Amino acid sequence: MAAEQRQMQAAAVGFEDYLPVMAERLGEEGLMQELASGFRLLMDPASGLITFDSLRRNAPLLGLGGMSDDDLRGMLAEGDFDGDGALSEMEFCVVMVRLSPELMDEPRRWLDDAVAQASQFLFTS
């Protein structure tokens, strides 16, 4: 299991490294459009979901052609929140953002600043 997680993280590194840059350059709407394009690249056209078969078929397009079936199943399981064995577009987008913690650094700083300001206001008034 640990080896599987390391391989999934290594496979995601390329995307993970560029996701914050893409977000900065494209803005929120542009980033979501890019994620949607990535989803469509991987999805099974008949079901509208990323299935095991569609991921295995399209993995080489992302440089993941050497991954075992178990690794691909692990990638699906990582984002399969509803347990249907496939990824919807929403599940795919959530996983992509989760795999890029740097993407959330700036909003986290905004939240920390807001909490600090509210605390200062509440406790000095």
Side-chain angles (χ1 to χ4, degrees):
M1 185 69 165
E4 183 177 303
Q5 284 183 319
R6 281 193 303 276
Q7 192 164 15
M8 285 174 28
Q9 288 173 339
V13 163
F15 193 84
E16 189 173 328
D17 287 344
Y18 294 108
L19 196 57
V21 174
M22 289 172 59
E24 185 176 322
R25 290 189 180 163
L26 299 173
E28 183 181 329
E29 188 172 319
L31 177 63
M32 293 310 294
Q33 289 173 351
E34 286 300 313
L35 288 173
S37 294
F39 174 79
R40 286 190 301 276
L41 177 71
L42 295 172
M43 78 171 194
D44 171 41
S47 68
L49 300 169
I50 297 175
T51 63
F52 170 73
D53 290 332
S54 71
L55 184 58
R56 183 172 39 165
R57 181 175 51 253
N58 296 311
L61 298 173
L62 300 175
L64 305 176
M67 294 187 78
S68 71
D69 286 356
D70 286 341
D71 292 333
L72 294 174
R73 283 188 185 92
M75 289 176 72
L76 280 175
E78 179 75 21
D80 184 15
F81 303 118
D82 62 10
D84 66 354
L87 298 181
S88 68
E89 187 171 350
M90 186 270 311
E91 289 171 323
F92 173 78
C93 290
V94 168
V95 165
M96 292 292 91
V97 171
R98 268 187 40 208
L99 290 175
S100 182
E102 295 138 28
L103 187 64
M104 297 308 293
D105 283 348
E106 190 169 346
R108 196 171 290 117
R109 280 192 298 274
W110 293 339
L111 179 60
D112 290 344
D113 289 347
V115 168
Q117 288 176 7
S119 296
Q120 187 176 33
F121 175 76
L122 291 171
F123 297 115
T124 59
S125 298

